[in-house]
Amino acid sequence: MLQGRRSHDQFTIAFLTTHRLWLAVGLSVAAATVLLIVRLVQRTSVQFVMNAFVGIAIGAFFAYSGPHGLEEMPPARPWRTSCPAS
């Protein structure tokens, strides 16, 4: 599960630090591809790595959409918020 999450986090960090979408996509897809090959060699489930590709695609879509894509990009890790008891 951490292997898949690492690629999406890498995309988010690379994009927010460089502001270059295609560089961030290239780095994270390359990392996810390496992790996919590792999973295939180990003959384990590739579900989490495929989830990473989906997360990268969603992040790239939000980052690319419109002139304000950077402000509209969802966070890499949605935090739970708790409502106070009334």
Side-chain angles (χ1 to χ4, degrees):
M1 188 166 143
L2 289 176
Q3 288 179 349
R5 188 67 183 185
R6 208 175 299 152
S7 299
H8 183 254
D9 289 343
Q10 182 178 6
F11 167 76
T12 303
I13 291 168
F15 180 70
L16 292 178
T17 56
T18 64
H19 299 287
R20 292 184 170 183
L21 178 63
W22 301 116
L23 176 65
V25 169
L27 289 173
S28 56
V29 167
T33 303
V34 168
L35 293 174
L36 178 65
I37 292 169
V38 168
R39 287 280 190 158
L40 289 173
V41 168
Q42 292 176 347
R43 301 182 65 99
T44 58
S45 174
V46 296
Q47 174 187 359
F48 299 115
V49 179
M50 291 304 185
N51 289 345
F53 283 115
V54 171
I56 293 166
I58 291 171
F61 171 76
F62 278 108
Y64 187 72
S65 63
H68 302 289
L70 182 60
E71 288 113 20
E72 297 171 4
M73 195 168 111
R77 297 182 183 196
W79 302 105
R80 288 187 182 177
T81 57
S82 59
C83 298
S86 49

